[in-house]
Coordinates of all heavy atoms in Angstrom, one line a residue:
M1 N 9.7 -25.8 23.9 CA 10.5 -26.4 22.7 C 9.6 -26.6 21.5 O 9.7 -26.3 20.4 CB 11.1 -27.7 23.1 CG 12.1 -28.3 22.0 SD 13.7 -27.7 21.8 CE 14.4 -28.5 20.7
K2 N 8.3 -27.2 21.8 CA 7.3 -27.4 20.8 C 6.9 -26.1 20.1 O 6.6 -26.1 18.9 CB 6.1 -28.2 21.4 CG 6.4 -29.7 21.3 CD 5.1 -30.4 21.9 CE 5.5 -31.9 22.1 NZ 4.5 -32.6 22.8
D3 N 6.7 -25.1 20.9 CA 6.2 -23.8 20.4 C 7.3 -23.3 19.4 O 6.9 -22.7 18.4 CB 5.9 -22.8 21.5 CG 4.7 -23.2 22.3 OD1 3.9 -24.0 21.8 OD2 4.4 -22.6 23.3
L4 N 8.5 -23.3 19.8 CA 9.6 -22.8 19.1 C 9.7 -23.5 17.7 O 9.9 -22.9 16.6 CB 10.9 -22.9 19.9 CG 12.2 -22.5 19.1 CD1 12.2 -21.1 18.7 CD2 13.5 -22.9 19.9
I5 N 9.6 -24.9 17.8 CA 9.7 -25.7 16.6 C 8.5 -25.2 15.6 O 8.7 -25.0 14.4 CB 9.6 -27.1 16.9 CG1 10.9 -27.6 17.6 CG2 9.5 -28.0 15.6 CD1 10.8 -29.0 18.2
K6 N 7.4 -25.2 16.2 CA 6.2 -24.8 15.4 C 6.4 -23.4 14.8 O 6.1 -23.2 13.5 CB 5.0 -24.8 16.4 CG 3.7 -24.8 15.6 CD 2.6 -25.0 16.6 CE 1.2 -24.6 16.1 NZ 0.1 -24.5 17.0
D7 N 7.0 -22.5 15.5 CA 7.2 -21.1 14.9 C 8.2 -21.1 13.8 O 8.1 -20.5 12.8 CB 7.5 -20.2 16.1 CG 7.5 -18.7 15.7 OD1 6.5 -18.3 15.1 OD2 8.6 -18.1 15.9
V8 N 9.3 -21.8 14.1 CA 10.4 -21.9 13.0 C 9.9 -22.5 11.7 O 10.2 -22.0 10.7 CB 11.6 -22.7 13.6 CG1 12.6 -23.0 12.5 CG2 12.3 -22.0 14.7
L9 N 9.1 -23.6 11.9 CA 8.7 -24.3 10.7 C 7.6 -23.5 10.1 O 7.5 -23.6 8.7 CB 8.2 -25.8 11.1 CG 9.3 -26.7 11.6 CD1 8.6 -28.0 12.0 CD2 10.6 -26.8 10.8
A10 N 6.7 -22.7 10.7 CA 5.6 -22.0 10.1 C 6.4 -20.8 9.4 O 5.9 -20.6 8.2 CB 4.9 -21.3 11.2
F11 N 7.4 -20.1 9.9 CA 8.2 -19.1 9.1 C 8.7 -19.6 7.8 O 8.6 -19.1 6.9 CB 9.4 -18.7 10.1 CG 10.1 -17.6 9.5 CD1 9.9 -16.3 9.6 CD2 11.2 -17.9 8.7 CE1 10.7 -15.3 9.0 CE2 12.1 -17.0 8.1 CZ 11.7 -15.6 8.3
R12 N 9.3 -21.0 7.9 CA 9.8 -21.5 6.7 C 8.7 -21.8 5.7 O 8.8 -21.5 4.5 CB 10.5 -22.9 7.0 CG 11.1 -23.6 5.8 CD 11.4 -25.0 6.3 NE 10.2 -25.7 6.5 CZ 10.1 -27.0 7.2 NH1 11.2 -27.6 7.4 NH2 8.9 -27.6 7.3
D13 N 7.6 -22.4 6.1 CA 6.6 -22.7 5.2 C 5.8 -21.7 4.7 O 5.4 -21.8 3.5 CB 5.6 -23.8 6.1 CG 6.5 -25.2 6.4 OD1 7.4 -25.3 5.6 OD2 5.9 -25.8 7.2
E14 N 5.6 -20.5 5.5 CA 4.9 -19.5 4.9 C 5.6 -18.8 3.7 O 5.1 -18.1 2.8 CB 4.9 -18.3 5.9 CG 3.8 -18.6 7.1 CD 4.1 -17.8 8.4 OE1 5.0 -17.0 8.4 OE2 3.3 -18.2 9.4
R15 N 7.0 -19.1 3.7 CA 7.7 -18.5 2.6 C 8.1 -19.6 1.5 O 8.9 -19.3 0.6 CB 9.1 -17.9 3.2 CG 8.8 -16.7 3.9 CD 9.8 -16.4 4.9 NE 9.4 -15.2 5.6 CZ 8.5 -15.1 6.7 NH1 7.8 -16.2 7.0 NH2 8.2 -14.0 7.2
N16 N 7.6 -20.8 1.7 CA 7.8 -21.8 0.7 C 9.3 -22.2 0.6 O 9.8 -22.4 -0.5 CB 7.2 -21.5 -0.6 CG 6.9 -22.9 -1.4 OD1 6.9 -23.9 -0.8 ND2 6.8 -22.7 -2.7
W17 N 10.0 -22.1 1.7 CA 11.5 -22.3 1.6 C 11.9 -23.8 1.9 O 13.2 -24.0 1.5 CB 12.1 -21.5 2.7 CG 12.3 -19.9 2.3 CD1 11.9 -19.4 1.1 CD2 12.7 -18.9 3.2 NE1 12.2 -18.0 1.2 CE2 12.5 -17.7 2.5 CE3 13.2 -18.8 4.5 CZ2 13.0 -16.4 3.0 CZ3 13.6 -17.6 5.0 CH2 13.5 -16.4 4.3
K18 N 11.0 -24.5 2.2 CA 11.4 -26.0 2.6 C 12.1 -26.7 1.3 O 13.1 -27.4 1.4 CB 10.2 -26.8 3.0 CG 10.5 -28.2 3.4 CD 9.4 -29.0 4.0 CE 9.8 -30.3 4.6 NZ 8.6 -31.0 5.1
Q19 N 11.6 -26.2 0.0 CA 12.2 -26.8 -1.3 C 13.7 -26.5 -1.3 O 14.4 -27.2 -2.0 CB 11.4 -26.1 -2.4 CG 11.5 -24.7 -2.5 CD 10.8 -24.1 -3.6 OE1 10.7 -24.6 -4.7 NE2 10.0 -23.0 -3.3
Y20 N 14.2 -25.4 -0.7 CA 15.6 -25.1 -0.8 C 16.5 -25.8 0.3 O 17.6 -25.6 0.4 CB 15.8 -23.6 -0.7 CG 15.0 -22.8 -1.7 CD1 14.0 -22.0 -1.3 CD2 15.2 -23.0 -3.1 CE1 13.2 -21.3 -2.3 CE2 14.4 -22.4 -4.0 CZ 13.4 -21.5 -3.6 OH 12.6 -20.8 -4.6
H21 N 15.8 -26.4 1.3 CA 16.4 -26.7 2.5 C 16.9 -28.3 2.4 O 16.4 -29.2 3.1 CB 15.5 -26.6 3.8 CG 15.4 -25.3 4.2 ND1 14.8 -24.7 5.2 CD2 16.0 -24.0 3.5 CE1 14.8 -23.3 5.3 NE2 15.6 -23.0 4.4
D22 N 17.9 -28.5 1.5 CA 18.6 -29.8 1.4 C 19.3 -30.1 2.8 O 19.9 -29.0 3.3 CB 19.7 -29.7 0.3 CG 20.3 -30.9 0.1 OD1 19.8 -31.9 -0.4 OD2 21.5 -31.0 0.5
E23 N 19.4 -31.2 3.2 CA 20.0 -31.6 4.5 C 21.5 -31.1 4.5 O 21.9 -30.5 5.5 CB 20.0 -33.1 4.7 CG 18.6 -33.7 5.0 CD 17.7 -34.1 3.7 OE1 18.1 -33.6 2.7 OE2 16.7 -34.6 4.0
K24 N 22.3 -31.3 3.5 CA 23.7 -30.8 3.4 C 23.7 -29.3 3.6 O 24.5 -28.8 4.4 CB 24.1 -31.1 2.1 CG 25.5 -30.6 1.8 CD 26.1 -30.7 0.2 CE 25.2 -30.1 -0.7 NZ 25.2 -28.5 -0.8
D25 N 22.8 -28.6 2.9 CA 22.9 -27.1 3.1 C 22.4 -26.6 4.4 O 23.0 -25.6 5.0 CB 21.9 -26.4 2.0 CG 22.5 -26.7 0.6 OD1 23.8 -26.6 0.4 OD2 21.7 -27.1 -0.4
L26 N 21.6 -27.3 5.1 CA 21.1 -27.0 6.5 C 22.3 -27.2 7.4 O 22.7 -26.4 8.2 CB 19.9 -27.7 6.9 CG 18.6 -27.3 6.2 CD1 17.5 -28.3 6.5 CD2 18.3 -25.9 6.7
A27 N 23.1 -28.4 7.2 CA 24.3 -28.7 7.9 C 25.3 -27.8 7.8 O 25.9 -27.2 8.8 CB 24.7 -30.1 7.6
I28 N 25.5 -27.2 6.5 CA 26.4 -26.2 6.3 C 26.1 -24.9 7.0 O 26.9 -24.2 7.6 CB 26.6 -25.9 4.7 CG1 27.4 -27.1 4.1 CG2 27.3 -24.7 4.6 CD1 27.3 -27.0 2.6
S29 N 24.8 -24.6 7.0 CA 24.4 -23.4 7.6 C 24.5 -23.3 9.1 O 24.7 -22.3 9.7 CB 22.8 -23.2 7.2 OG 22.6 -23.0 5.9
I30 N 24.4 -24.6 9.7 CA 24.6 -24.6 11.2 C 26.0 -24.2 11.4 O 26.3 -23.4 12.4 CB 24.3 -26.0 11.7 CG1 22.7 -26.3 11.7 CG2 24.8 -26.2 13.2 CD1 22.4 -27.8 11.8
V31 N 27.0 -24.7 10.8 CA 28.3 -24.4 11.0 C 28.7 -22.9 10.7 O 29.5 -22.3 11.4 CB 29.2 -25.3 10.1 CG1 30.7 -25.0 10.3 CG2 29.0 -26.8 10.5
L32 N 28.0 -22.4 9.6 CA 28.3 -21.0 9.3 C 27.8 -20.1 10.4 O 28.4 -19.1 10.7 CB 27.6 -20.6 7.9 CG 28.3 -21.3 6.6 CD1 27.5 -21.0 5.4 CD2 29.7 -20.9 6.5
E33 N 26.6 -20.5 10.9 CA 26.0 -19.6 11.9 C 26.9 -19.6 13.2 O 27.0 -18.7 14.0 CB 24.6 -20.0 12.3 CG 23.6 -19.6 11.2 CD 23.5 -18.2 10.7 OE1 23.9 -17.3 11.5 OE2 23.1 -17.8 9.6
A34 N 27.4 -21.0 13.4 CA 28.3 -21.2 14.6 C 29.6 -20.4 14.3 O 30.1 -19.8 15.4 CB 28.7 -22.7 14.7
S35 N 30.0 -20.1 13.1 CA 31.2 -19.4 12.9 C 31.0 -18.0 13.2 O 31.8 -17.1 13.7 CB 31.7 -19.5 11.4 OG 32.1 -20.8 11.3
E36 N 29.7 -17.4 12.8 CA 29.2 -16.1 13.1 C 29.2 -15.9 14.6 O 29.7 -14.8 15.1 CB 27.9 -15.8 12.4 CG 28.0 -15.7 10.9 CD 26.6 -15.4 10.3 OE1 25.7 -15.2 11.0 OE2 26.6 -15.5 9.1
L37 N 28.8 -16.9 15.4 CA 28.8 -16.8 16.8 C 30.3 -16.6 17.3 O 30.6 -15.8 18.1 CB 28.2 -18.1 17.5 CG 28.4 -18.2 18.9 CD1 27.7 -17.1 19.6 CD2 27.8 -19.5 19.3
L38 N 31.2 -17.4 16.7 CA 32.6 -17.5 17.1 C 33.2 -16.1 16.8 O 34.2 -15.5 17.5 CB 33.3 -18.6 16.3 CG 34.7 -19.0 16.9 CD1 34.7 -19.4 18.3 CD2 35.1 -20.3 16.0
E39 N 32.8 -15.4 15.7 CA 33.4 -14.2 15.3 C 33.3 -13.1 16.5 O 34.2 -12.2 16.6 CB 32.7 -13.6 14.1 CG 33.4 -13.3 13.0 CD 32.7 -12.8 11.7 OE1 31.6 -12.9 11.8 OE2 33.3 -12.3 10.8
N40 N 32.4 -13.3 17.3 CA 32.0 -12.3 18.4 C 33.2 -12.4 19.4 O 33.4 -11.5 20.2 CB 30.7 -12.5 19.0 CG 29.6 -12.1 18.2 OD1 29.4 -10.9 17.9 ND2 28.7 -13.1 17.7
F41 N 33.9 -13.5 19.5 CA 34.8 -13.7 20.4 C 36.3 -13.4 20.0 O 37.3 -13.6 20.7 CB 34.7 -15.1 21.0 CG 33.4 -15.3 21.8 CD1 32.3 -15.8 21.2 CD2 33.4 -15.0 23.1 CE1 31.1 -16.0 21.8 CE2 32.2 -15.1 23.8 CZ 31.0 -15.6 23.2
Q42 N 36.5 -13.4 18.6 CA 37.7 -13.3 18.0 C 38.5 -12.1 18.4 O 38.0 -10.9 18.4 CB 37.6 -13.3 16.4 CG 38.9 -13.5 15.8 CD 38.6 -13.4 14.2 OE1 37.7 -12.8 13.7 NE2 39.6 -14.0 13.4
W43 N 39.8 -12.3 18.8 CA 40.6 -11.2 19.1 C 40.2 -10.4 20.4 O 40.6 -9.2 20.5 CB 40.9 -10.1 18.0 CG 41.2 -10.8 16.7 CD1 40.5 -10.7 15.5 CD2 42.3 -11.7 16.4 NE1 41.1 -11.5 14.7 CE2 42.2 -12.1 15.1 CE3 43.3 -12.2 17.3 CZ2 43.1 -12.9 14.4 CZ3 44.2 -13.1 16.6 CH2 44.2 -13.4 15.2
K44 N 39.5 -11.0 21.2 CA 39.2 -10.4 22.4 C 38.9 -11.4 23.6 O 38.7 -12.5 23.3 CB 37.9 -9.4 22.2 CG 36.7 -10.2 21.8 CD 35.7 -9.1 21.5 CE 35.6 -8.9 20.0 NZ 34.3 -8.6 19.3
S45 N 38.9 -11.0 24.8 CA 38.7 -11.9 25.8 C 37.1 -12.3 25.8 O 36.3 -11.5 25.3 CB 39.1 -11.3 27.2 OG 38.3 -10.2 27.5
S46 N 36.8 -13.3 26.6 CA 35.3 -13.7 26.7 C 34.6 -12.5 27.4 O 33.5 -12.1 27.1 CB 35.2 -14.9 27.6 OG 35.7 -16.0 26.8
E47 N 35.3 -11.9 28.4 CA 34.7 -10.7 29.1 C 34.5 -9.5 28.1 O 33.3 -9.0 28.1 CB 35.5 -10.3 30.2 CG 35.6 -11.2 31.5 CD 34.3 -11.5 31.9 OE1 33.4 -10.7 32.1 OE2 34.0 -12.8 32.1
E48 N 35.4 -9.3 27.3 CA 35.2 -8.1 26.3 C 34.0 -8.5 25.4 O 33.3 -7.7 25.1 CB 36.5 -8.0 25.5 CG 37.5 -7.2 26.3 CD 38.8 -7.1 25.4 OE1 39.3 -8.2 25.0 OE2 39.3 -6.1 25.2
A49 N 34.0 -9.7 24.9 CA 32.9 -10.2 24.0 C 31.5 -9.9 24.5 O 30.7 -9.5 24.1 CB 33.2 -11.5 23.5
K50 N 31.5 -10.5 25.9 CA 30.2 -10.4 26.5 C 29.8 -8.9 26.8 O 28.6 -8.6 26.6 CB 30.2 -11.1 28.0 CG 30.3 -12.6 27.8 CD 30.2 -13.3 29.2 CE 31.4 -13.2 29.9 NZ 31.4 -14.0 31.1
E51 N 30.7 -8.1 27.1 CA 30.4 -6.6 27.3 C 30.0 -5.9 26.1 O 29.1 -5.1 26.0 CB 31.7 -6.1 27.9 CG 31.5 -4.7 28.5 CD 32.9 -4.2 29.1 OE1 33.5 -4.9 30.0 OE2 33.4 -3.2 28.7
K52 N 30.7 -6.3 25.0 CA 30.5 -5.5 23.7 C 29.4 -6.2 22.7 O 28.8 -5.3 22.0 CB 31.9 -5.4 22.8 CG 32.9 -4.5 23.6 CD 34.1 -4.5 22.7 CE 35.2 -3.7 23.5 NZ 36.5 -4.0 22.8
D53 N 29.4 -7.5 22.7 CA 28.7 -8.1 21.6 C 27.6 -9.1 22.1 O 27.2 -10.0 21.4 CB 29.6 -8.9 20.7 CG 30.7 -8.0 20.2 OD1 30.3 -6.9 19.5 OD2 31.9 -8.3 20.3
M54 N 27.1 -8.8 23.3 CA 26.0 -9.8 23.9 C 24.9 -10.0 23.0 O 24.3 -11.1 22.7 CB 25.7 -9.4 25.2 CG 25.1 -10.5 26.1 SD 26.2 -12.0 26.0 CE 25.5 -12.9 27.3
Q55 N 24.3 -8.9 22.4 CA 23.1 -9.0 21.6 C 23.4 -9.9 20.3 O 22.6 -10.7 20.0 CB 22.6 -7.5 21.1 CG 21.4 -7.6 20.2 CD 20.1 -8.3 21.0 OE1 20.0 -8.3 22.3 NE2 19.3 -9.0 20.3
N56 N 24.6 -9.6 19.7 CA 24.9 -10.4 18.6 C 25.2 -11.8 18.9 O 24.8 -12.8 18.1 CB 26.1 -9.8 17.8 CG 26.2 -10.2 16.4 OD1 27.1 -11.1 16.1 ND2 25.3 -9.8 15.6
I57 N 25.8 -12.1 20.0 CA 26.0 -13.4 20.6 C 24.7 -14.2 20.6 O 24.5 -15.3 20.2 CB 26.8 -13.4 21.8 CG1 28.2 -13.0 21.6 CG2 26.7 -14.8 22.5 CD1 29.0 -12.6 22.9
K58 N 23.6 -13.6 21.3 CA 22.4 -14.2 21.4 C 21.8 -14.4 20.0 O 21.1 -15.5 19.9 CB 21.4 -13.1 22.1 CG 21.8 -12.9 23.5 CD 20.8 -11.8 24.0 CE 21.0 -11.4 25.5 NZ 20.2 -10.3 26.0
E59 N 21.9 -13.6 19.1 CA 21.2 -13.7 17.8 C 21.9 -14.9 17.1 O 21.2 -15.6 16.3 CB 21.2 -12.4 17.0 CG 20.3 -11.4 17.7 CD 20.2 -10.0 16.9 OE1 20.8 -10.0 15.8 OE2 19.7 -9.2 17.4
E60 N 23.3 -15.0 17.2 CA 24.0 -16.0 16.4 C 23.7 -17.3 17.1 O 23.5 -18.4 16.3 CB 25.4 -15.7 16.2 CG 25.8 -14.5 15.6 CD 25.3 -14.3 14.2 OE1 24.7 -15.4 13.6 OE2 25.2 -13.2 13.6
M61 N 23.5 -17.5 18.4 CA 23.1 -18.7 19.1 C 21.7 -19.0 18.6 O 21.4 -20.3 18.3 CB 23.1 -18.6 20.5 CG 24.6 -18.4 21.0 SD 24.6 -18.0 22.9 CE 24.0 -19.7 23.5
A62 N 20.9 -18.1 18.4 CA 19.4 -18.4 18.0 C 19.5 -18.9 16.5 O 18.8 -19.8 16.2 CB 18.6 -17.2 18.1
D63 N 20.4 -18.3 15.7 CA 20.4 -18.8 14.4 C 21.0 -20.2 14.3 O 20.4 -21.0 13.5 CB 21.5 -17.9 13.6 CG 20.9 -16.6 13.2 OD1 19.7 -16.4 13.1 OD2 21.7 -15.7 12.7
V64 N 21.8 -20.6 15.1 CA 22.3 -22.0 15.1 C 21.1 -23.0 15.5 O 20.9 -23.9 14.7 CB 23.5 -22.2 16.2 CG1 23.8 -23.7 16.4 CG2 24.6 -21.5 15.7
L65 N 20.4 -22.5 16.5 CA 19.2 -23.4 16.9 C 18.1 -23.5 15.9 O 17.6 -24.6 15.6 CB 18.6 -22.8 18.2 CG 17.6 -23.6 18.9 CD1 17.9 -25.0 19.2 CD2 17.0 -22.9 20.3
I66 N 17.8 -22.4 15.3 CA 16.9 -22.4 14.2 C 17.3 -23.3 13.0 O 16.3 -24.1 12.6 CB 16.6 -20.9 13.7 CG1 15.9 -20.1 14.8 CG2 15.9 -20.8 12.4 CD1 15.9 -18.6 14.6
Y67 N 18.5 -23.3 12.6 CA 18.9 -24.2 11.5 C 18.9 -25.7 12.1 O 18.5 -26.5 11.3 CB 20.3 -23.8 11.0 CG 20.1 -22.7 9.9 CD1 20.9 -21.5 9.9 CD2 19.5 -23.0 8.6 CE1 20.7 -20.6 9.0 CE2 19.4 -22.1 7.7 CZ 20.0 -20.9 7.9 OH 20.0 -20.0 6.9
L68 N 19.3 -25.8 13.2 CA 19.3 -27.2 13.9 C 17.8 -27.7 13.8 O 17.6 -28.9 13.6 CB 19.9 -27.1 15.2 CG 20.4 -28.3 15.9 CD1 21.4 -29.1 15.0 CD2 21.0 -28.0 17.1
I69 N 17.0 -26.9 14.2 CA 15.5 -27.3 14.2 C 15.0 -27.7 12.9 O 14.3 -28.8 12.6 CB 14.5 -26.1 14.8 CG1 14.8 -26.1 16.3 CG2 13.1 -26.4 14.5 CD1 14.2 -24.9 17.0
Q70 N 15.4 -26.9 11.9 CA 15.0 -27.2 10.5 C 15.7 -28.5 10.0 O 15.0 -29.3 9.2 CB 15.4 -26.0 9.6 CG 14.5 -24.8 9.9 CD 14.9 -23.6 9.1 OE1 14.1 -23.4 8.1 NE2 15.8 -22.9 9.5
L71 N 17.0 -28.7 10.3 CA 17.5 -29.9 9.9 C 16.9 -31.2 10.6 O 16.7 -32.2 9.9 CB 19.0 -29.9 10.1 CG 19.9 -31.1 9.9 CD1 19.8 -31.5 8.2 CD2 21.3 -31.0 10.2
A72 N 16.6 -31.0 11.8 CA 15.9 -32.2 12.6 C 14.6 -32.4 11.9 O 14.2 -33.6 11.9 CB 15.8 -31.7 14.0
D73 N 13.8 -31.4 11.5 CA 12.6 -31.6 10.8 C 12.7 -32.4 9.5 O 12.1 -33.3 9.3 CB 11.9 -30.3 10.6 CG 10.5 -30.4 9.8 OD1 9.7 -31.1 10.5 OD2 10.5 -30.0 8.7
K74 N 13.8 -32.0 8.7 CA 14.0 -32.7 7.4 C 14.4 -34.1 7.6 O 14.0 -34.9 6.8 CB 15.2 -31.9 6.6 CG 14.8 -30.7 6.0 CD 13.8 -30.9 4.7 CE 14.8 -31.5 3.5 NZ 14.0 -31.4 2.2
L75 N 15.2 -34.4 8.7 CA 15.6 -35.8 9.0 C 14.6 -36.5 9.8 O 14.8 -37.8 10.2 CB 16.9 -35.7 9.6 CG 18.1 -35.2 8.8 CD1 19.3 -35.0 9.6 CD2 18.4 -36.1 7.6
G76 N 13.6 -35.9 10.2 CA 12.6 -36.6 11.1 C 13.1 -37.0 12.5 O 12.8 -38.0 13.0
I77 N 13.9 -36.1 13.0 CA 14.6 -36.3 14.3 C 13.8 -35.6 15.4 O 13.5 -34.4 15.1 CB 16.0 -36.0 14.2 CG1 16.7 -37.0 13.3 CG2 16.7 -36.0 15.6 CD1 18.2 -36.6 13.0
D78 N 13.5 -36.1 16.4 CA 13.1 -35.4 17.6 C 14.2 -34.9 18.5 O 14.8 -35.7 19.1 CB 12.1 -36.4 18.4 CG 11.6 -35.7 19.8 OD1 12.1 -34.8 20.2 OD2 10.5 -36.2 20.2
L79 N 14.5 -33.7 18.2 CA 15.8 -33.1 18.8 C 16.0 -33.1 20.3 O 16.8 -33.5 20.9 CB 15.9 -31.6 18.3 CG 17.2 -31.0 18.2 CD1 18.2 -31.9 17.4 CD2 17.1 -29.6 17.5
K80 N 14.8 -32.8 20.9 CA 14.7 -32.9 22.4 C 15.0 -34.3 22.9 O 15.7 -34.5 23.9 CB 13.3 -32.4 22.9 CG 13.2 -32.2 24.4 CD 11.9 -31.7 24.8 CE 11.9 -31.8 26.3 NZ 10.4 -31.3 26.9
K81 N 14.3 -35.2 22.3 CA 14.5 -36.7 22.7 C 16.0 -37.1 22.5 O 16.5 -37.8 23.4 CB 13.6 -37.6 21.7 CG 13.5 -39.0 22.1 CD 12.6 -39.8 21.3 CE 13.2 -41.1 21.0 NZ 12.5 -41.8 19.8
E82 N 16.5 -36.7 21.4 CA 17.8 -37.1 21.0 C 18.9 -36.4 22.0 O 19.9 -37.1 22.4 CB 18.2 -36.8 19.7 CG 17.5 -37.8 18.6 CD 17.7 -39.1 18.9 OE1 18.7 -39.7 19.3 OE2 16.6 -39.8 18.6
A83 N 18.6 -35.2 22.4 CA 19.6 -34.4 23.3 C 19.4 -35.1 24.6 O 20.5 -35.2 25.4 CB 19.1 -33.0 23.4
L84 N 18.1 -35.4 25.1 CA 18.1 -36.1 26.4 C 18.8 -37.5 26.4 O 19.4 -37.9 27.4 CB 16.6 -36.3 26.8 CG 15.8 -35.0 27.1 CD1 14.4 -35.2 27.2 CD2 16.4 -34.3 28.5
A85 N 18.6 -38.2 25.4 CA 19.3 -39.5 25.2 C 20.8 -39.4 25.3 O 21.5 -40.2 25.8 CB 18.9 -40.2 23.9
K86 N 21.3 -38.3 24.6 CA 22.7 -38.1 24.6 C 23.2 -37.7 25.9 O 24.4 -38.0 26.3 CB 23.1 -36.9 23.5 CG 24.6 -36.7 23.3 CD 25.2 -38.0 22.9 CE 26.6 -37.7 22.2 NZ 27.6 -37.4 23.2
M87 N 22.4 -37.0 26.6 CA 22.8 -36.7 28.1 C 22.9 -37.9 28.9 O 23.7 -37.9 29.8 CB 21.8 -35.7 28.7 CG 21.9 -34.2 28.1 SD 23.6 -33.5 28.2 CE 23.8 -33.4 30.0
V88 N 22.1 -38.9 28.7 CA 22.2 -40.1 29.5 C 23.6 -40.7 29.1 O 24.3 -41.2 30.0 CB 21.0 -41.1 29.0 CG1 21.3 -42.5 29.6 CG2 19.7 -40.5 29.6
K89 N 24.0 -40.8 27.8 CA 25.2 -41.3 27.4 C 26.4 -40.6 28.1 O 27.4 -41.1 28.5 CB 25.4 -41.3 25.9 CG 24.8 -42.4 25.1 CD 25.1 -42.3 23.6 CE 25.2 -43.7 23.0 NZ 25.6 -43.5 21.5
N90 N 26.2 -39.2 28.0 CA 27.3 -38.5 28.6 C 27.5 -38.7 30.1 O 28.6 -38.8 30.5 CB 26.9 -36.9 28.4 CG 27.1 -36.4 26.9 OD1 27.6 -37.1 26.1 ND2 26.5 -35.3 26.7
R91 N 26.4 -38.9 30.8 CA 26.5 -39.3 32.2 C 27.2 -40.6 32.4 O 28.0 -40.7 33.3 CB 25.2 -39.3 32.9 CG 24.6 -37.8 33.1 CD 23.5 -37.8 34.1 NE 23.1 -36.4 34.4 CZ 22.5 -35.6 33.7 NH1 21.9 -36.1 32.5 NH2 22.2 -34.3 33.9
E92 N 26.9 -41.5 31.6 CA 27.7 -42.8 31.7 C 29.1 -42.7 31.4 O 29.9 -43.3 31.9 CB 26.9 -43.8 30.6 CG 25.6 -44.3 31.1 CD 24.9 -45.0 30.0 OE1 25.4 -45.3 29.0 OE2 23.7 -45.3 30.2
K93 N 29.4 -41.8 30.2 CA 30.8 -41.7 29.9 C 31.7 -40.8 30.9 O 32.8 -41.1 31.0 CB 30.8 -41.0 28.4 CG 32.2 -41.0 27.8 CD 32.0 -40.5 26.4 CE 33.4 -40.4 25.7 NZ 33.3 -39.9 24.4
Y94 N 30.9 -39.9 31.4 CA 31.7 -39.0 32.4 C 31.0 -38.9 33.7 O 30.3 -37.9 34.1 CB 31.7 -37.6 31.8 CG 32.3 -37.5 30.5 CD1 31.4 -37.3 29.3 CD2 33.6 -37.5 30.2 CE1 32.0 -37.2 28.0 CE2 34.2 -37.5 28.9 CZ 33.4 -37.2 27.9 OH 33.9 -37.1 26.6
P95 N 31.2 -40.1 34.5 CA 30.5 -40.1 35.8 C 31.1 -39.1 36.8 O 32.2 -38.7 36.6 CB 30.8 -41.6 36.3 CG 32.0 -42.1 35.5 CD 32.0 -41.3 34.3
V96 N 30.2 -38.7 37.6 CA 30.7 -37.7 38.7 C 31.7 -38.4 39.6 O 31.3 -39.4 40.1 CB 29.5 -37.2 39.4 CG1 29.8 -36.4 40.6 CG2 28.5 -36.6 38.5
K97 N 32.8 -37.9 39.8 CA 33.9 -38.4 40.6 C 33.5 -38.0 42.1 O 33.2 -36.8 42.4 CB 35.2 -37.8 40.3 CG 35.7 -38.4 38.9 CD 37.0 -37.7 38.6 CE 37.4 -38.1 37.2 NZ 38.4 -37.2 36.6
S98 N 33.6 -39.0 42.9 CA 33.4 -38.7 44.3 C 34.5 -38.0 44.9 O 35.7 -38.1 44.5 CB 33.2 -40.0 45.2 OG 34.3 -40.9 44.9
K99 N 34.3 -37.0 45.9 CA 35.3 -36.1 46.3 C 35.9 -36.6 47.6 O 35.5 -37.4 48.3 CB 34.7 -34.7 46.6 CG 34.2 -34.0 45.4 CD 33.5 -32.7 45.6 CE 33.0 -32.1 44.4 NZ 32.1 -31.0 44.6
Ligands
MG1 MG1 23.6 -15.2 11.7

């Protein structure tokens, strides 16, 4: 995770793009990239999408993560720490039911 964050932020900083990365615009970009991901599944079954569009699915998932990393950086959020904390909450909210 640390290597990925470092790489994403280096790509941004080498191009001096941080100045354009307002939090609102990064949040919008996350949703737009998620929509691009969704486009791969529109009007077809999941099986068809996986068969025909797997490369694009991978790339759009990566785009979502890349923007998420940039938004986390702008907001000073440790994304891994927050995701792990949220998983703790999720486990409390949705306990495993005994069978
Ligand atoms: Mg994209």
